[in-house]
Amino acid sequence: MPTPVYTAYVPVTNNSDDVVVKNVVLWPKGKTLFLPYDKSVDCAAEQALINSLVTQINAAATAGNANGYATLMAQLLAYTVASVPDAPAGNKWVIRPCSGGSTPTSDDITLTEVDPDTSTYVDGILEDLGVLGDPGFDTSYTLVKSGADYNGTSFVTQSAPTLLSVARTAPRRKGNWFPFLTQLAMNTALHKRRAPFATHTRKTIVFPGNLYTDPADNEFTGRGWTHSSEATLSGESVYPVGIKRCIESAFYDRATAAANVTQGGDIPTDTQKAQLLAWASAPHVPISDDGAARLYAKKWVDVFEQQDWFGGGIEGFSVNHEVYSGTFQAHYNHSGLMTRAIREEMESRLKGDGSRKFPIVKAAATDYGALVHYSPYALDFRATQSNNFDPNTPDPDPSVPVWLHFVSIAEPYKGVSRSAPLGTFSILAQLLKAGKLYAGSGQYPRYTMDDQTMWQKNGDGSYKTNTNGWMLPRTDVRTTVVNGEACPLLETDYTKSMQQLYGYYCQFYAYYFFRAGSKHLPMSTDVMAGWEAMQRGYAQFRLNTEVDTTYNYVGQGLDPETYNRRPLNRKWTETYAIGMYLYMDYLRGWMNVQNRTDLGGVNTHDGQSRASVEFYANGFQRGADLNWIHDTPYQFVVPKFFLFEQATNEWEQLWRKPIVIGGLATYGGKPTLWLHWVWPCQDEDRVTDMIIWVDKGQGPVTPGYLAQFEGRDPGLEYWQFPNAAAGAQPKDLYFQFKSFLNETITWRGDYRETRITLHPTPPALA
């Protein structure tokens, strides 16, 4: 086992008045924060850092500099934690002075640090940091870099650990979670805050951010990302040859170019020319002629071959023709024609030696890419013929929500029954069935949040409830600071954010459910007969929020563009990244075009914070720690529908329902559970224990296993069960925890099981 790298925490207490920024109490009087640092760093330097920040905060407050005050305070909050996390196994927290002696001197600050469990020092907080001394974390990698953004905010350079695969017989309390300070410098994404790691060969993960002036700052491939996008411009005549690319575009002008060819073998017929020109300009009438689509596709691929586009090779593309006129049937036929034609054109182009110019070609469906419903939260009622989604729903199944019934599948892919949910009457579906198209799920994040509670509370800190005893979400509109950037919040950020985030997991599961032929809790390898070539899915994301098209901004006197580029919540973003990596294979980021800038320089495109780049990379890195699940069949474990009857069923309220999903497998010759858990609406200062065990009907066959929901941090882990658990089914898994109102809740690992009202006593913890 490697020698543990012990970390210490410097307590910093606010001995003055409440620190208030724009009516938000960021640091209450008497509240102690803790600054984490590695003992390899000079203690005096850490003390100077805090003292300098506090001095600057006080100076900004005295000068009435509200913006500077808010930024500095956000930096202090990002450098610190609200409580000291758990000590590693075999250790405990002790109090020591900074000098290392037994008694603090006047020049010392006090540390809370780990010490071997044989120590005679007084026991401290008994929780688990996870990283310290754990063989699954190699903390030897360190980024050495200094600098600041255009505001003078220093780069946050704390490095992520390297994650190592370790056979475990019990989970870590937060799995492979590790502490990682938020990047507060604007227009700064330090890709080298983590060592390179291997993503699974299935994965295409497209980076949509900007390149920096110094090539050394652009080493994102191999650190969670595999390709750059069309948004990532280089401004050079030759795109960097070390970066492979996946391109999404409309290229309406290329239709004009195809229409105006007058020489050679690609002269369009009159009908083809008319269709190309009708598509090239508003109102953009979809193309229906296959020959016209193929002439258009050649002009696309001509662009791909240009040296200022090609880079290290273009290996994927998607057609973005969302601006069109006419019926959506005509539109998705057009999208199918173009996707097929571009793919075949790329495959046909050869070098002088006869080898292919585009050896790898992956096609993703941007238009009609959401095979599963893009807003499952709108379809969380039972799938019966009496619902308001479709009064003539065929083959009703009231045991599932509508988003898990085949009638919710997008029309291009829809089949005829629950047992045959996928159909092939469209070109897109034919490509999907043949394994030549990625379709799946996705909706850009539209909501964000700071670390405050999302629930209404009474004066004593207890939760407010309505007459049904249900907790009440907040509805206040306010301005806060997220990732060091000022950020407005609306009433929808407390509620719709959760509908969207839980909805992502509806989409992930529904994709596998339908792919398996509407099979409950399928094996990850189950596929409908005839669809065996079908790829795993496509998901999309962006680096900041998308405007909520359902919100009446203008009616509220608000500028919609302000809400189209807000900074993303760190923990929700990391959660979404983990989910995408676990379940989808083509992960495409989008942003408006991003020109090169200096690291930390002013960026006029889509807001200033780029902290989300590092959040996504965190999630991808943690997901890659479980790369084995993409090569090993597992059976889904889903204790609850992520969204079901939210408005009418008290036991489906999200304050009673975290996200829990995983898989049962045989790995390394042992029965193994991998599990992903998160409670994204929990208060950040709350920790909820979840006890997990296996009971195959004759009593527990495993000990209890402890996993924790700590604030909104996502957990991800896998561990081996005793051999007695071999052959366990999802229903044999038990999960017990407490709601936000401290009610005991026990789930089984199969959402079809009856709700438990007499709660079993878990076995002793491992």
Side-chain angles (χ1 to χ4, degrees):
M1 179 181 295
T3 302
V5 179
Y6 291 150
T7 294
Y9 287 80
V10 183
V12 186
T13 303
N14 178 15
N15 294 316
S16 302
D17 293 330
D18 290 348
V19 174
V20 181
V21 176
K22 296 185 178 179
N23 298 320
V24 177
V25 179
L26 293 182
W27 195 9
K29 180 178 179 179
K31 172 72 173 178
T32 299
L33 301 174
F34 297 87
L35 170 73
Y37 84 97
D38 190 293
K39 289 176 65 177
S40 63
V41 179
D42 178 38
C43 190
E46 295 295 317
Q47 183 179 19
L49 171 64
I50 283 291
N51 288 342
S52 173
L53 273 174
V54 173
T55 299
Q56 293 178 67
I57 289 169
N58 290 335
T62 301
N65 180 1
N67 289 333
Y69 184 55
T71 299
L72 290 165
M73 191 62 220
Q75 187 172 354
L76 175 61
L77 291 174
Y79 277 131
T80 56
V81 294
S83 62
V84 176
D86 297 344
N91 294 272
K92 61 177 67 176
W93 292 113
V94 297
I95 306 301
R96 291 186 185 278
C98 189
S99 63
S102 59
T103 305
T105 69
S106 59
D107 295 327
D108 276 327
I109 53 178
T110 302
L111 304 178
T112 302
E113 68 174 24
V114 293
D115 206 60
D117 205 19
T118 56
S119 167
T120 58
Y121 290 101
V122 177
D123 219 350
I125 298 175
L126 300 177
E127 299 199 42
D128 178 39
L129 178 63
V131 175
L132 306 177
D134 187 288
F137 298 99
D138 177 355
T139 58
S140 61
Y141 175 81
T142 301
L143 170 63
V144 178
K145 190 176 185 66
S146 61
D149 69 6
Y150 59 87
N151 286 323
T153 302
S154 297
F155 298 153
V156 177
T157 59
Q158 176 214 25
S159 301
T162 299
L163 304 184
L164 306 175
S165 181
V166 176
R168 299 179 182 277
T169 57
R172 292 161 288 188
R173 296 185 185 185
K174 293 168 67 177
N176 64 2
W177 174 92
F178 52 84
F180 192 78
L181 297 178
T182 297
Q183 182 63 255
L184 294 178
M186 296 295 102
N187 188 24
T188 300
L190 296 182
H191 306 293
K192 291 183 179 178
R193 287 183 69 183
R194 71 196 74 244
F197 64 93
T199 52
H200 195 276
T201 54
R202 286 180 179 273
K203 304 299 174 182
T204 298
I205 308 176
V206 186
F207 173 66
N210 53 293
L211 298 178
Y212 295 117
T213 305
D214 185 347
D217 294 326
N218 298 326
E219 296 181 20
F220 53 86
T221 56
R223 289 179 165 88
W225 311 90
T226 61
H227 297 74
S228 74
S229 78
E230 73 291 336
T232 307
L233 303 182
S234 71
E236 300 171 349
S237 59
V238 178
Y239 198 87
V241 296
I243 302 176
K244 295 181 179 181
R245 312 199 71 200
C246 289
I247 303 300
E248 175 179 291
S249 189
F251 286 144
Y252 291 112
D253 64 323
R254 296 297 81 198
T256 302
N260 290 333
V261 172
T262 58
Q263 296 180 348
D266 294 331
I267 301 173
T269 66
D270 290 345
T271 299
Q272 291 169 345
K273 182 173 184 176
Q275 286 204 14
L276 289 165
L277 292 175
W279 172 254
S281 59
H284 301 297
V285 179
I287 292 170
S288 61
D289 182 88
D290 182 60
R294 292 184 182 278
L295 294 175
Y296 186 15
K298 289 186 177 184
K299 295 301 181 182
W300 274 62
V301 183
D302 287 347
V303 174
F304 291 174
E305 287 189 352
Q306 292 175 192
Q307 290 303 298
D308 58 340
W309 280 80
F310 191 79
I314 293 178
E315 296 187 337
F317 74 93
S318 46
V319 175
N320 187 346
H321 285 161
E322 61 187 25
V323 179
Y324 71 96
S325 62
T327 66
F328 70 89
Q329 289 89 351
H331 184 218
Y332 67 65
N333 182 66
H334 164 103
S335 297
L337 287 171
M338 289 306 304
T339 300
R340 181 175 64 189
I342 295 167
R343 182 186 179 99
E344 292 179 0
E345 182 65 25
M346 291 177 70
E347 291 172 339
S348 72
R349 297 215 176 176
L350 304 177
K351 299 178 182 177
D353 62 3
S355 62
R356 284 173 49 173
K357 292 182 179 179
F358 302 95
I360 297 174
V361 180
K362 295 183 177 182
T366 299
D367 299 330
Y368 304 97
L371 179 148
V372 296
H373 202 275
Y374 65 90
S375 57
Y377 47 83
L379 304 175
D380 74 339
F381 40 84
R382 294 183 181 274
T384 68
Q385 289 187 339
S386 60
N387 63 57
N388 59 9
F389 172 70
D390 181 350
N392 298 305
T393 297
D395 202 5
D397 182 359
S399 69
V400 301
V402 173
W403 57 262
L404 208 58
H405 191 281
F406 83 97
V407 296
S408 68
I409 295 175
E411 183 173 306
Y413 314 101
K414 190 180 298 183
V416 296
S417 69
R418 279 182 291 165
S419 60
L422 300 177
T424 58
F425 74 91
S426 73
I427 298 172
L428 289 171
Q430 292 161 15
L431 291 170
L432 180 71
K433 183 178 182 181
K436 296 182 178 182
L437 179 73
Y438 290 87
S441 66
Q443 187 182 72
Y444 296 141
R446 292 182 168 185
Y447 312 98
T448 191
M449 186 54 57
D450 56 13
D451 290 343
Q452 291 191 27
T453 183
M454 297 169 64
W455 305 96
Q456 296 183 38
K457 292 190 175 182
N458 298 305
D460 61 0
S462 61
Y463 294 112
K464 288 186 177 181
T465 58
N466 63 15
T467 55
N468 292 325
W470 297 7
M471 285 175 54
L472 298 170
R474 287 173 64 171
T475 59
D476 52 309
V477 175
R478 57 190 175 90
T479 298
T480 186
V481 176
V482 176
N483 308 335
E485 186 174 2
C487 177
L489 296 179
L490 297 172
E491 68 277 12
T492 51
D493 287 302
Y494 304 105
T495 52
K496 284 194 172 183
S497 60
M498 292 299 94
Q499 292 175 345
Q500 183 174 53
L501 187 53
Y502 279 67
Y504 289 145
Y505 287 82
C506 298
Q507 293 170 327
F508 296 149
Y509 177 63
Y511 186 86
Y512 284 79
F513 177 85
F514 292 134
R515 180 172 172 259
S518 299
K519 185 176 181 179
H520 291 285
L521 302 181
M523 297 295 293
S524 59
T525 50
D526 286 345
V527 187
M528 282 176 56
W531 290 72
E532 290 81 6
M534 180 179 173
Q535 302 281 359
R536 299 189 186 188
Y538 161 86
Q540 57 188 7
F541 57 94
R542 55 184 279 174
L543 301 185
N544 51 24
T545 63
E546 179 186 44
V547 68
D548 182 352
T549 55
T550 67
Y551 192 87
N552 183 13
Y553 296 99
V554 175
Q556 299 296 320
L558 303 172
D559 178 10
E561 281 305 303
T562 301
Y563 298 85
N564 200 33
R565 53 176 57 91
R566 295 184 296 168
L568 297 178
N569 177 274
R570 168 186 169 174
K571 297 179 181 181
W572 296 350
T573 304
E574 186 171 328
T575 296
Y576 185 33
I578 290 172
M580 286 192 291
Y581 191 96
L582 294 176
Y583 299 109
M584 302 285 112
D585 279 353
Y586 195 112
L587 283 54
R588 180 185 162 72
W590 180 90
M591 289 286 280
N592 280 323
V593 292
Q594 302 289 305
N595 295 311
R596 268 191 196 267
T597 68
D598 292 336
L599 181 66
V602 174
N603 187 332
T604 58
H605 294 271
D606 283 351
Q608 293 299 310
S609 175
R610 291 294 178 267
S612 65
V613 171
E614 298 176 4
F615 304 159
Y616 280 116
N618 267 16
F620 300 150
Q621 181 184 5
R622 294 179 62 192
D625 194 31
L626 274 69
N627 273 341
W628 64 269
I629 71 172
H630 304 295
D631 303 309
T632 304
Y634 63 83
Q635 184 174 11
F636 272 85
V637 173
V638 184
K640 291 283 285 185
F641 292 126
F642 306 104
L643 293 172
F644 193 27
E645 299 185 323
Q646 288 296 291
T648 58
N649 190 324
E650 59 180 331
W651 295 104
E652 299 292 340
Q653 303 301 304
L654 301 189
W655 47 271
R656 284 177 167 141
K657 185 164 68 170
I659 293 172
V660 179
I661 185 171
L664 282 169
T666 299
Y667 182 59
K670 294 284 188 178
T672 300
L673 173 69
W674 72 262
L675 196 70
H676 174 35
W677 66 97
V678 63
W679 212 333
C681 55
Q682 181 172 247
D683 285 357
E684 287 287 16
D685 60 358
R686 180 184 174 93
V687 178
T688 300
D689 292 345
M690 179 170 64
I691 311 299
I692 306 157
W693 72 95
V694 177
D695 185 335
K696 295 161 69 175
Q698 303 298 318
V701 295
T702 68
Y705 302 103
L706 175 62
Q708 286 186 324
F709 301 99
E710 183 172 317
R712 299 165 194 162
D713 287 329
L716 180 65
E717 186 68 291
Y718 69 94
W719 68 98
Q720 296 173 346
F721 286 152
N723 289 334
Q729 299 297 307
K731 67 179 181 179
D732 300 327
L733 278 163
Y734 287 75
F735 302 84
Q736 190 172 101
F737 57 93
K738 291 188 180 295
S739 74
F740 296 171
L741 297 182
N742 293 318
E743 308 153 307
T744 297
I745 295 175
T746 307
W747 289 346
R748 300 178 73 174
D750 184 334
Y751 51 73
R752 294 170 295 178
E753 293 297 309
T754 303
R755 184 172 69 87
I756 294 174
T757 56
L758 296 175
H759 301 284
T761 300
L765 292 179

